[in-house]
Amino acid sequence: MRTVPISVTVNGEVRQAAVEPRLLLVHFIREVLGLTGTHIGCDTTSCGACTIHLNGKPVKSCTVFAVQADGAEIRTVEGLEQDGRLHPVQEGFWQEHGLQCGFCTPGMMMTAVALLEANPNPDEAEIRRAISGNLCRCTGYVNIVKAIRYAAEKMRQPEVAPAVAGGGED
Amino acid sequence: MATTQSTQIGGLGYAVKRKEDPRFIRGKGTYVDDVKLPGMLYLDIVRSPLAHARITQIDASKALAMPGVVAVITGKDLEAAGLAWMPTLMGDRQMVLPTDRVVYYAQEVAAVVAEDRYTAADAVLAIDVEYEPLEPVVDPFRALQPDAPLVRPDREQKTNHIWHWEAGDKEATDRVFQEAEVVVAQDLYIPRIHVSSIETCGCVASFDRVSGKLTIWMTSQAPHAHRTVFSLVSGIPETKIRVISPDIGGGFGGKVPVYPGYVLATVASLQTGRPVKWIEDRSENLQADSFARDYHIHAEVAATRDGKMRALRVRTVADHGAFDAAANPSKFPAGLFSIGTGSYDLEAAHFSVDGVYTNKAPGGVAYRCSFRVTEAVHMIERMVDVLADELDMDPAEIRFKNFIQPEQFPYKSPTGWEYDSGNYPAALQKALDAIGYQELRREQAEKRARGELMGIGISTFTEIVGAGPSHTFDILGIKMFDSAEIRVHPTGSALVRIGVQTQGQGHETTFAQIVAEELGLPVENIVVEHGDTDTAPYGLGTYGSRSTPTAGAATAVAARKIREKARLLPRPTCWRSTRTIWSGATTPSASRARPSAPRR
């Protein structure tokens, strides 16, 4: 089995591995790096559960080879929380009941983060267009939109005293 | 009730942030594909490219010669172990792997076990299967013709007809129809659909040869019921099987049936002594997992000229696919379909349903409804509209005219259901007022006058949920009870274990709120565990909107017993909380009005 060495920066950390050229990026992230927050829902670029950031852009990692990510910066759901503080999008999803089974949630949040980084004040139509490549089979879209609006508002506010993220409880 | 405390402790009716979310929003949930065990092998499945065919040969030699391939399992191997067939929850049997023929497209034909996912997928392509095509039958009406291809020659009855079922009084119904002023009829096809949860199905089976214990992490809406099925299939006692249903990425009924993949992974683990993972891809999930609906309904309503419905007659052909493996928690083969008289007072009704085999994947998943209630509700509501259209009546008016009236409760329906209480006219009026019905009708008339189309639809429904009472509900003769186990620790925190399993419903929050309400403990001090048959009490699982009515009730009852017992005991000295366990109904504070708090 031929392998190719690759080096990627994942959530700020340099990770190196020798991978089969056909290894999908999502399998690299989940099985080689052990970051299982990125999920596989459809294997066919349809559902968006595997959405991650590749060099700052949201991509569906089930349709990218790991070797294509050589030298890239990757951000996954595990990289959203910073210094024990939830990302405003994570906070929004929790606050606005933006998830039920939680399976689409990481991909949905990564898409939302990318949207808000590009457009800090999206209207509902822009939010809906941005998440149109992410499916929620619990059909919780109304609350997902609310969660993203909550996050947008929060991100536009000036920084206040840091709140420590809750462990397991509110 | 502990009214003054409810808002602070997050009791019933108060919005609390979900307890399961901190792990999900961090990507720290544990779904079945996240389970990784040392030495774990991967299983992949060879599937049939034909809907109906005889298998003449399976050649696995090329696959077995591939580096990393550990084993290939065929129907013949399973037959030797008595495992080629498994029982279904409907008293039928289903192939785990075929020994001589395939009966639907994408049916499991053989399994490959390999050191990794990619090698297993390669090996699937390397297995040569020779098929001799047979004529398939995919239309249930064609399947009922005497010269139709036989889907299940393994059965004694050489027909594709599975069962016939009736409810209601046929003679009385026919009599009303004979003398009726108006009769309307319609054919309704409720198509086959797939539930398509965002997480596909899968499992990790791990057999420990030393202890003889089998542990299966699986996408299961009913871990205890599945443990019982595994025990029945394998002969391993339930004490030696542990089913763990971890976080589940949506179920919608599709994770109630037992799929061959679960059994194959288990066989592979028994055979190799190593953990074996099987995860479907989306194509397999959409092609071969159980489907919902597929009811061909012919419905008729007899009525008076002024719109009073008198009788309902329903004949249905139910396409169950190649195996009657429906996930049906009721005692009736057509589930709760006879609730189809809905919210209306009728003199008579008669339902008949015929189950039919076709060359399709098994049907009968209860997608987002109590079993067959969606079909029933669609049928009756459509027929009320058809009648309204025939008589040129307003669809709201015709419903008011036919509702069971509040004073008629308790009401016995012509198909035998007892309705305990209700006020349907008040409910519909409230809904009409809320949407401004008359105003909408005026708007519609104006738009139509200028050639613009606008539709207004109305539907009301009465359904049965909460699969519980044993006169109606059953799986495998176990009945449909559910359980809760509560342990209160000396410091006043509590551990709640329940027999139902969440797939996104939020049990860890809801059930904690029930206990908070009953015991007066803050919701954050209550931990809810579920899904592990070694620790959770026996329960029949989550589907058909049954968890809160059954296990929720069990939880409340258990909490009340603890509350009564706690009142007899002195307060532990280690209890630093200022709250009492139970304030009692006679304390002055409890008589205060319930504080208004945001409700979901």
Side-chain angles (χ1 to χ4, degrees), chain A residues 22-24 27 30-31 36-37 39 41-43 47 77-78 81 86 90 93-95 97 99-103 106 109 135 137-139 165-170, chain B residues 17-19 21-22 24-29 31 33-34 36 42 117-119 122 194-200 248-250 252 281-282 367-368 503-504 524 600:
Chain A
R22 64 173 179 171
L23 183 72
L24 295 173
H27 285 139
R30 288 179 51 81
E31 295 181 11
T36 55
H39 298 146
C42 72
D43 326 90
C47 79
V77 63
E78 289 90 347
E81 190 176 357
L86 290 177
Q90 291 174 303
F93 271 73
W94 193 10
Q95 184 64 40
H97 194 191
L99 59 149
Q100 291 175 53
C101 79
F103 200 81
M109 291 194 306
L135 300 181
R137 275 298 282 160
C138 304
T139 59
E169 311 298 337
D170 179 23
Chain B
K17 280 160 75 178
R18 295 205 321 167
K19 292 164 81 71
D21 289 359
F24 292 146
I25 56 175
R26 289 177 170 90
K28 297 289 182 192
Y31 300 90
D33 199 15
D34 303 338
K36 195 173 181 179
Y42 290 81
R117 232 184 261 267
Y118 285 57
T119 306
D122 288 342
H194 197 275
V195 304
S196 195
S197 52
I198 192 86
E199 179 202 34
T200 60
I248 300 291
F252 315 118
D281 66 29
R282 177 58 62 188
Y367 174 57
R368 280 184 171 155
Q503 312 115 43
E524 62 266 25
R600 287 212 178 272

Side-chain angles (χ1 to χ4, degrees), chain B residues 261-553:
Chain B
Y262 299 136
V263 179
L264 291 170
T266 302
V267 169
S269 182
L270 290 167
Q271 203 177 311
T272 60
R274 291 168 66 179
V276 177
K277 179 185 272 190
W278 164 68
I279 305 288
E280 282 175 335
D281 66 29
R282 177 58 62 188
S283 302
E284 297 178 288
N285 174 265
L286 287 174
Q287 290 169 348
D289 282 6
S290 294
F291 285 76
R293 320 259 200 267
D294 221 347
Y295 259 32
H296 298 259
I297 301 170
H298 178 77
E300 300 164 284
V301 169
T304 63
R305 242 175 242 112
D306 62 353
K308 179 76 189 82
M309 287 157 60
R310 297 188 58 202
L312 173 69
R313 197 159 56 189
V314 182
R315 287 198 317 271
T316 295
V317 169
D319 187 341
H320 278 243
F323 304 108
D324 193 12
N328 174 6
S330 82
K331 286 184 170 174
F332 319 114
L336 310 172
F337 189 54
S338 64
I339 193 67
T341 57
S343 318
Y344 309 105
D345 181 23
L346 302 176
E347 289 168 45
H350 183 253
F351 287 65
S352 71
V353 184
D354 290 279
V356 179
Y357 289 121
T358 58
N359 288 115
K360 290 193 258 187
V365 160
Y367 174 57
R368 280 184 171 155
C369 76
S370 204
F371 200 72
R372 299 300 188 195
V373 171
T374 311
E375 290 90 329
V377 170
H378 176 76
M379 178 274 300
I380 185 65
E381 290 304 303
R382 180 75 193 124
M383 292 316 292
V384 175
D385 282 348
V386 167
L387 180 64
D389 192 49
E390 172 75 18
L391 300 174
D392 202 20
M393 282 178 79
D394 180 272
E397 184 197 343
I398 200 165
R399 285 176 168 81
F400 280 119
K401 195 174 181 98
N402 287 287
F403 275 149
I404 301 162
Q405 295 301 307
E407 62 276 10
Q408 287 177 277
F409 292 96
Y411 173 85
K412 184 126 185 181
S413 85
T415 47
W417 297 103
E418 181 136 342
Y419 294 22
D420 58 355
S421 62
N423 189 341
Y424 304 152
L428 180 57
Q429 191 56 56
K430 199 169 179 180
L432 294 177
D433 292 346
I435 61 163
Y437 184 64
Q438 295 308 331
E439 186 49 42
L440 281 174
R441 284 286 176 206
R442 270 193 294 279
E443 188 187 332
Q444 182 187 42
E446 280 167 26
K447 284 188 171 164
R448 284 189 174 173
R450 55 173 192 263
E452 201 178 314
L453 294 178
M454 172 179 170
I456 299 172
I458 289 183
S459 181
T460 71
F461 69 95
T462 298
E463 72 161 326
I464 305 172
V465 298
S470 55
H471 53 70
T472 303
F473 298 101
D474 185 36
I475 278 184
L476 298 168
I478 302 165
K479 309 290 191 293
M480 296 295 288
F481 66 91
D482 234 286
S483 317
E485 199 180 278
I486 304 174
R487 294 165 189 217
V488 181
H489 304 304
T491 52
S493 58
L495 174 64
V496 183
R497 286 171 167 158
I498 51 178
V500 290
Q501 165 62 5
T502 186
Q503 312 115 43
Q505 291 88 342
H507 291 175
E508 290 164 41
T509 309
T510 310
F511 285 74
Q513 285 188 276
I514 292 171
V515 175
E517 181 76 19
E518 294 293 341
L519 294 185
L521 297 175
V523 73
E524 62 266 25
N525 288 3
I526 299 162
V527 171
V528 176
E529 288 183 0
H530 49 146
D532 182 341
T533 58
D534 262 14
T535 56
Y538 202 104
L540 274 297
T542 296
Y543 36 83
S545 307
R546 69 180 297 274
S547 286
T548 309
T550 53

Side-chain angles (χ1 to χ4, degrees), chain A residues 26-147:
Chain A
V26 69
H27 285 139
F28 174 73
I29 290 169
R30 288 179 51 81
E31 295 181 11
V32 180
L33 304 183
L35 297 171
T36 55
T38 301
H39 298 146
I40 303 172
C42 72
D43 326 90
T44 51
T45 339
S46 303
C47 79
C50 65
T51 305
I52 53 122
H53 292 186
L54 187 67
N55 293 327
K57 285 199 175 132
V59 301
K60 295 179 180 179
S61 59
C62 75
T63 319
V64 178
F65 292 117
V67 290
Q68 290 177 285
D70 187 24
E73 290 259 357
I74 288 173
R75 193 181 187 191
T76 70
V77 63
E78 289 90 347
L80 289 181
E81 190 176 357
Q82 292 292 321
D83 307 322
R85 287 183 69 189
L86 290 177
H87 188 283
V89 167
Q90 291 174 303
E91 224 181 286
F93 271 73
W94 193 10
Q95 184 64 40
E96 297 293 338
H97 194 191
L99 59 149
Q100 291 175 53
C101 79
F103 200 81
C104 76
T105 309
M108 197 69 85
M109 291 194 306
M110 294 314 288
T111 298
V113 169
L115 166 71
L116 297 181
E117 283 172 356
N119 176 2
N121 192 13
D123 62 24
E124 178 166 346
E126 288 170 325
I127 293 173
R128 287 186 176 270
R129 192 160 53 243
I131 63 169
S132 61
N134 292 74
L135 300 181
C136 166
R137 275 298 282 160
C138 304
T139 59
Y141 296 107
V142 169
N143 284 358
I144 290 170
V145 171
K146 279 190 202 166

Side-chain angles (χ1 to χ4, degrees), chain B residues 8 40 124 163 176 264 305 378 402 431 589 596:
Chain B
Q8 305 148 22
M40 191 168 76
V124 161
W163 41 256
V176 177
L264 291 170
R305 242 175 242 112
H378 176 76
N402 287 287
S589 59
S596 58

